[in-house]
């Protein structure tokens, strides 16, 4: 029997339309807009100004604290301006806008395809260089990777878990990375193991990717301490706490981090980025994203430069279908609608989903029928119907007591509700307010 997490879960239609599409390089745009805040934590501080010449890989905004991340130029050219522009959420954020000229890279970056297996960097060097390279979690959370690798005093990492689940419907970028960059992912995993001083790593992959499981299992025979763990296809298998439960049968306590149970989780795309940073001296300036949708001419996977406009990747995939009702950044379960096709793709852009109009219309909300479906599917064991009511009534004390901060915002409750109640929308609002209250208290 395949491993999975112990509470709740659903199985939405997978719709992996781009699974067979090999990664292609997206043409470099004429202009890029690179936000200085593409991560959880403090925004970086710009260190370039209008008129400065930059090369690919050059630092353009410096990390402004421990929980922050460096930002590098993804192109060569001239800084057009440093200004506030609209990002995917619709808010205006400070960005470095660069007019592209050629494709001149910093000389120390190794652009060859040659696999470098030998890891000469020490634990301390790895953590520093991961931070210098601006690497963040590429599964969507964008938490600075060097922070996760810096185990707090008194805690011990026992196992590294690589999240290669990709449980979101439609998205296939991680799947393609495993198939096309398998050795690099495994070397990256060994680098992360060295940084954490652990001798065991588990790569969790859902069993709807049998080709990736077979490929990595074959390659992993040459890498000591790495186990490939096939998992049941069940959403949200890729949630950090759910993945820990499925792979090592340990439960992370409420309000605690994975290190409390001796685990550190990193995304498979992050492992590849770590390989490139340590073995090739390449900062995080590009990543793979899926662009997909039922009406899209060419659902596909693209390696794009950070700061590329959304419209460029849509054009590369055949252009915007006429029946598009909504463009979602990410997948249909946890992704968020983007405000404009002119906004830039960032480090956290794992995919773009173009949904047909008939699939985006919200159905009329009805009264809760107390069926309990939302409770039975919640992977965190919460009571979504109650949390929605408390959020609506602004009962923040009750929300905190009922562990609203444990919600991982997976959307399973809204997906399964027969009354079409906007459970997650209200829970997100309540969670945001409770988070503010808790921070103010500290």
């Amino acid at each position: 029997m395949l491993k999975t997490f112990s509470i709740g879960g659903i199985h939405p239609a997978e719709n992996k339309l781009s699974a067979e599409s090999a990664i292609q390089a997206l043409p470099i745009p004429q202009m890029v807009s690179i936000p200085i805040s593409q991560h959880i934590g403090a925004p970086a501080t710009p260190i370039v100004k209008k008129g400065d010449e930059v090369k690919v890989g050059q630092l353009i905004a410096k990390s402004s604290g421990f929980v922050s991340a460096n930002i590098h130029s993804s192109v060569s050219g001239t800084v057009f301006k440093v200004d506030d522009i609209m990002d995917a959420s619709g808010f205006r954020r400070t960005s470095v806008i660069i007019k592209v000229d050629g494709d001149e890279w910093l000389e120390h970056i190794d652009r060859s395809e040659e696999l470098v297996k030998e890891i000469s960097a020490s634990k301390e060097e790895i953590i520093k260089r991961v931070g210098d390279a601006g690497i963040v979690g590429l599964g969507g959370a964008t938490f600075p990777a060097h922070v996760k690798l810096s185990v707090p005093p008194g805690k011990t990492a026992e196992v590294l878990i690589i999240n290669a689940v990709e449980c979101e419907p439609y998205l296939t970028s991680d799947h393609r990375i495993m198939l096309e960059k398998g050795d690099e992912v495994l070397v990256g995993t060994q680098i992360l193991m060295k940084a954490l001083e652990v001798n065991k790593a588990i790569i969790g992959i859902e069993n709807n990717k049998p080709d990736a499981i077979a490929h990595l299992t074959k390659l992993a025979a040459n890498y000591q301490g790495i186990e490939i763990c096939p998992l049941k296809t069940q959403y949200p298998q890729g949630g950090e706490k759910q993945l820990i439960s499925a792979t090592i049968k340990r439960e992370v306590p409420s309000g605690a981090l994975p290190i409390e149970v001796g685990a550190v989780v990193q995304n498979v795309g992050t492992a590849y980025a770590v390989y490139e940073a340590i073995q090739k001296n390449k900062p995080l300036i590009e990543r793979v994203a899926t662009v997909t949708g039922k009406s899209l001419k060419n659902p596909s996977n693209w390696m794009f430069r950070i700061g590329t406009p959304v419209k460029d990747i849509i054009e590369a995939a055949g252009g915007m279908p006429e029946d598009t009702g909504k463009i979602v950044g990410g997948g249909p379960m946890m992704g968020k609608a983007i405000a404009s096709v002119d906004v830039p793709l960032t480090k956290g852009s794992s995919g773009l989903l173009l949904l047909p109009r008939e699939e985006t219309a919200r159905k009329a909300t009805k009264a809760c029928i107390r069926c309990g479906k939302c409770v039975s599917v919640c992977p965190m064991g919460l009571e979504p119907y109650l949390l929605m009511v408390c959020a609506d009534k602004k009962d923040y004390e009750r929300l905190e007591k009922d562990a609203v901060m444990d919600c991982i915002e997976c959307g399973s409750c809204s997906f399964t509700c027969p009354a079409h109640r906007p459970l997650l929308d209200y829970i997100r609002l309540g969670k945001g307010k409770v988070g503010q209250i808790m921070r103010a208290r500290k």
Side-chain angles (χ1 to χ4, degrees), residues 394-422:
K394 298 181 170 56
D395 187 351
Y396 302 124
E397 191 177 327
R398 178 69 187 269
L399 276 172
E400 185 179 350
K401 178 174 168 285
D402 286 348
V404 72
M405 298 308 290
D406 283 353
C407 171
I408 61 169
E409 302 181 24
C410 66
S412 296
C413 52
S414 295
F415 176 83
T416 198
C417 179
H420 312 299
R421 295 179 68 73

Side-chain angles (χ1 to χ4, degrees), residues 37-109:
S37 181
Q38 301 179 47
H39 49 267
I40 288 174
T45 305
I47 58 170
V48 293
K49 61 186 187 302
K50 182 178 178 178
D52 285 357
E53 301 278 325
V54 294
K55 293 181 181 180
V56 179
Q58 184 176 325
L59 187 68
I60 57 172
K62 192 167 177 53
S63 160
S64 59
F66 181 57
V67 184
S68 184
N70 284 339
I71 305 289
H72 301 80
S73 177
S74 59
V75 294
S76 64
T78 308
V79 176
F80 179 65
K81 60 180 175 177
V82 179
D83 200 2
D84 290 351
I85 64 155
M86 190 166 71
D87 71 359
S89 64
F91 290 102
R92 296 185 73 80
R93 312 268 190 205
T94 303
S95 301
V96 178
I97 299 149
I98 302 169
K99 192 173 183 182
V100 177
D101 182 15
D103 189 30
E104 192 177 347
W105 292 55
L106 291 179
E107 289 178 7
H108 68 269
I109 298 173

Side-chain angles (χ1 to χ4, degrees), residues 314-395:
I314 293 174
E315 282 303 314
M320 182 100 69
E322 285 184 17
D323 68 346
T324 301
K326 192 174 283 186
I327 304 170
V328 177
M333 297 301 296
M334 291 186 75
K336 293 182 176 138
I338 63 168
S340 159
V341 294
D342 295 317
V343 302
L345 294 160
T346 63
K347 293 178 182 181
S349 301
S350 58
L352 279 176
L353 171 59
L354 282 67
L355 287 170
R357 210 166 285 113
E358 66 267 18
E359 289 188 22
T360 61
R362 289 214 177 193
K363 293 177 181 170
T365 301
K366 300 172 188 170
C368 173
I369 61 170
R370 298 291 189 271
C371 65
K373 282 189 176 181
C374 61
V375 179
S376 67
V377 300
C378 177
M380 295 305 297
L382 305 176
E383 297 177 287
Y385 73 92
L386 180 61
L387 297 177
M388 176 181 170
V389 171
C390 292
D392 186 31
K393 304 292 184 192
K394 298 181 170 56
D395 187 351

Side-chain angles (χ1 to χ4, degrees), residues 222-243:
N222 302 314
Y223 295 85
Q224 193 173 353
I226 300 178
E227 173 195 338
I228 309 302
C229 180
L231 300 167
K232 182 181 176 182
T233 302
Q234 183 162 313
Y235 180 86
Q237 193 79 259
E240 203 169 52
K241 293 180 178 180
Q242 286 65 40
L243 185 57

Side-chain angles (χ1 to χ4, degrees), residues 188-378:
T189 300
Q190 288 197 319
I191 293 168
L192 292 167
M193 290 166 71
K194 188 171 183 178
L196 293 166
E197 296 182 311
V198 298
N199 54 23
K200 183 180 181 183
I202 299 170
I203 301 181
I205 311 172
E206 279 191 328
N207 71 326
N208 61 356
K209 304 180 227 340
D211 49 356
I213 292 169
H215 182 57
L216 286 194
T217 300
K218 184 180 176 183
L219 293 179
N222 302 314
Y223 295 85
Q224 193 173 353
I226 300 178
E227 173 195 338
I228 309 302
C229 180
L231 300 167
K232 182 181 176 182
T233 302
Q234 183 162 313
Y235 180 86
Q237 193 79 259
E240 203 169 52
K241 293 180 178 180
Q242 286 65 40
L243 185 57
I244 292 167
S245 171
T247 53
I248 62 173
K249 297 298 174 194
R250 296 181 191 176
E251 301 294 332
V252 180
S254 175
L257 295 171
I259 194 65
E260 293 293 332
V261 295
V264 174
V265 182
Q266 295 280 9
N267 177 264
V268 69
T270 309
Y272 176 58
V274 166
Y275 164 82
E276 293 213 300
I278 304 301
Q279 307 296 74
K280 300 286 187 174
N281 295 313
K282 181 182 170 185
L284 184 52
I285 54 168
E286 58 184 2
R287 68 157 296 165
V288 181
T290 301
V291 57
T292 184
K294 289 176 184 173
S295 301
L296 192 67
K297 187 177 177 182
N298 178 29
S300 41
N301 301 290
W302 297 88
M303 179 75 80
F304 67 86
R305 302 284 180 98
I306 304 295
T308 298
V310 162
K311 62 186 176 189
D312 286 25
I313 202 169
I314 293 174
E315 282 303 314
M320 182 100 69
E322 285 184 17
D323 68 346
T324 301
K326 192 174 283 186
I327 304 170
V328 177
M333 297 301 296
M334 291 186 75
K336 293 182 176 138
I338 63 168
S340 159
V341 294
D342 295 317
V343 302
L345 294 160
T346 63
K347 293 178 182 181
S349 301
S350 58
L352 279 176
L353 171 59
L354 282 67
L355 287 170
R357 210 166 285 113
E358 66 267 18
E359 289 188 22
T360 61
R362 289 214 177 193
K363 293 177 181 170
T365 301
K366 300 172 188 170
C368 173
I369 61 170
R370 298 291 189 271
C371 65
K373 282 189 176 181
C374 61
V375 179
S376 67
V377 300
C378 177

